Amino acid sequence: MLSTSLLVAHGSRDPRPQEALNQLAKRLGERSGCSSVGTATLELAPLPLHQQIQNFAKLSQSWGYSQVQILPLFLSSGVHVNTDLPEEVAIAQEQLGAEIQLNLLPYFGSQINLLADWIATKMARVEIENWILIAHGSRHPGGNQPIEQLATQIGAIPAYWSVSLNLETQIQALTASGVHRIGIIPYFMFSGGIKDAITQSLQKFSQEFPTVEFELISPLEIDDNLVTLIEDLLR
């Protein structure tokens, strides 16, 4: 069956995540053999997500497609992934009827092995043995388990922006054990306010821990590797 693809992100008041989402969709659409790609956001959009999905599905129908593959570009398994997204897709499907099928794919962050290999390749370019993987964090039961699994696979310790353990706590733990060089991996889908805040925090930590050298890497850049990974998931 013919299918289009819809990338769903969280949504932000900062324009950069939406610009990056649009760029990613454009790159996917330009790839040979890749079906038409649209974007939508769960929050901070003019229309609720189910209406965005309906509009894209109707457009897909007008192009002759019979299915829409919906890929949640979320990295953690919280309330949005487990509750909000399935509910919005169900509402859209009910209102669309059976003429077009909506397929909600596993969220992007569930691809632990693929992401671990990709991030480990970037880590290998820097001569650092002690790493911190910092993610947004979730209060949903079990929501941080994928982050902890990923951190273990790449040889890092986890930290969270919105819940404990935070970045400063983990830096203190490493420095207390005698570490003098720490790599920081911001685990966020797109650049935005939190990544800016992490950079500013590291400037403060550099003053607080003058004997420690910090190295910040950006694992989720919109490059050919990311486009290929998402293209494979959409297939």
Side-chain angles (χ1 to χ4, degrees):
M1 293 185 180
L2 296 176
S3 173
T4 57
S5 303
L6 184 65
L7 307 178
V8 180
H10 182 276
S12 173
R13 291 183 176 86
D14 189 316
R16 288 174 294 174
Q18 184 62 52
E19 291 169 0
L21 180 64
N22 292 341
Q23 181 186 351
L24 179 57
K26 181 180 178 181
R27 291 277 296 271
L28 283 163
E30 290 171 348
R31 294 288 280 259
S32 175
C34 186
S35 56
S36 299
V37 181
T39 68
T41 58
L42 180 61
E43 297 183 356
L44 302 170
L47 296 174
L49 178 57
H50 65 266
Q51 186 63 61
Q52 296 173 66
I53 295 172
Q54 285 176 249
N55 290 348
F56 183 72
K58 290 176 181 177
L59 185 60
S60 299
Q61 276 186 297
S62 72
W63 293 333
Y65 292 97
S66 57
Q67 290 193 28
V68 178
Q69 303 282 83
I70 301 174
L71 177 62
L73 293 179
F74 289 74
L75 297 175
S76 299
S77 176
V79 174
H80 289 329
V81 166
N82 292 299
T83 303
D84 298 337
L85 287 171
E87 288 180 353
E88 291 292 310
V89 172
I91 293 171
Q93 185 69 78
E94 181 179 4
Q95 296 181 354
L96 286 166
E99 292 185 6
I100 188 164
Q101 180 66 40
L102 304 176
N103 299 318
L104 181 59
L105 302 174
Y107 73 99
F108 182 66
S110 66
Q111 312 300 316
I112 299 293
N113 293 333
L114 294 175
L115 288 167
D117 290 343
W118 183 19
I119 295 174
T121 299
K122 291 178 177 284
M123 293 166 62
R125 299 170 185 167
V126 185
E127 293 183 3
I128 291 180
E129 294 183 1
N130 296 277
W131 291 89
I132 298 174
L133 178 74
I134 178 166
H136 185 276
S138 172
R139 292 180 174 83
H140 189 273
N144 294 323
Q145 191 276 331
I147 305 300
E148 294 166 6
Q149 180 183 344
L150 176 61
T152 298
Q153 288 189 220
I154 63 176
I157 61 174
Y160 304 102
W161 186 255
S162 62
V163 298
S164 60
L165 302 153
N166 63 28
L167 181 59
E168 184 170 12
T169 298
Q170 296 295 54
I171 289 175
Q172 289 172 341
L174 288 176
T175 55
S177 66
V179 172
H180 295 288
R181 197 157 186 239
I182 301 173
I184 309 295
I185 309 164
Y187 192 53
F188 297 89
M189 199 68 216
F190 303 118
S191 295
I194 294 179
K195 288 187 71 175
D196 290 347
I198 291 171
T199 302
Q200 293 171 3
S201 295
L202 288 180
Q203 295 173 356
K204 183 192 76 170
F205 295 146
S206 293
Q207 297 176 347
E208 185 177 346
F209 306 99
T211 62
V212 179
E213 180 183 351
F214 296 99
E215 182 80 27
L216 184 69
I217 69 170
S218 299
L220 300 181
E221 299 166 336
I222 299 179
D223 56 16
D224 288 340
N225 291 327
L226 177 62
V227 173
T228 298
L229 176 56
I230 292 180
E231 186 178 36
D232 289 343
L233 297 177
L234 290 170
R235 287 174 178 167

